[in-house]
Amino acid sequence: MTPRWLAPLLVSAAVSATPRAVAEVTIRPAADGQVGAWLVSGPLPLDQARALAEKGTAPSAAGAAPRFRLLHSRDGALDLDRALGTGRKSGSAALLGGTLVLDSDLDGVLLASIDGAARLYLGEKPIWDPPSRALRGGGWDAIPLRLPRCSHQLVLVLEH
């Protein structure tokens, strides 16, 4: 039986075999709870990224704007600067997210270690906006999540 806090992350991903081929992929957390695959869109201007999150843009690789793609890591740490080719350019932002599918109610936490500013949206509602904008230095933020059984759109707006 899967622990209550261990919920699958449903990610829609485009399959590159044909232009019309689309597959739904479920990414489940590893035994230690890490999710090493997310959908990412960017780099985007910060105001555009915030506007998309505030209108409840659902992360999808199905071709709708903004275009999302699958980003994954074997060790759970994602390097967005390298993946998006932003380098040291300031002012850019990215959207990172997916659909959290819960088979039962969730009373748990999402642990995040993010350098720079970030805001987490559940649907179009911001549910986490930490005041600190400094480098995390390996520290973790515990984001409490109390969610009912169903599907939930999670989107992080990440500032460079």
Side-chain angles (χ1 to χ4, degrees):
M1 180 165 175
T2 304
R4 185 175 285 181
W5 57 268
L6 191 59
L9 179 69
L10 177 67
V11 179
S12 299
V15 178
S16 61
T18 67
R20 286 184 255 145
V22 175
E24 292 218 0
V25 179
T26 301
I27 306 294
R28 296 191 182 269
D32 63 1
Q34 289 192 40
V35 177
W38 294 83
L39 289 171
V40 65
S41 180
L44 300 165
L46 179 57
D47 57 343
Q48 180 185 7
R50 285 183 178 162
L52 288 165
E54 289 169 0
K55 74 176 194 179
T57 298
S60 171
R67 184 160 171 80
F68 282 84
R69 64 186 174 96
L70 188 63
L71 180 62
H72 60 88
S73 171
R74 291 177 190 236
D75 66 3
L78 302 174
D79 186 343
L80 289 176
D81 283 337
R82 184 180 313 153
L84 300 175
T86 56
R88 297 192 178 270
K89 291 188 286 186
S90 63
S92 55
L95 298 176
L96 185 76
T99 302
L100 182 64
V101 179
L102 299 174
D103 295 329
S104 59
D105 292 350
L106 172 70
D107 186 9
V109 296
L110 173 66
L111 293 176
S113 180
I114 301 168
D115 289 337
R119 181 181 283 179
L120 177 64
Y121 288 82
L122 178 64
E124 53 194 58
K125 178 184 173 192
I127 62 168
W128 179 71
D129 188 8
S132 174
R133 304 292 185 227
L135 295 176
R136 306 280 179 194
W140 292 90
D141 286 310
I143 305 165
L145 294 177
R146 295 191 81 173
L147 303 171
R149 185 189 114 194
C150 69
S151 297
H152 303 276
Q153 299 294 327
L154 293 177
V155 174
L156 275 162
V157 175
L158 304 169
E159 294 181 37
H160 188 277

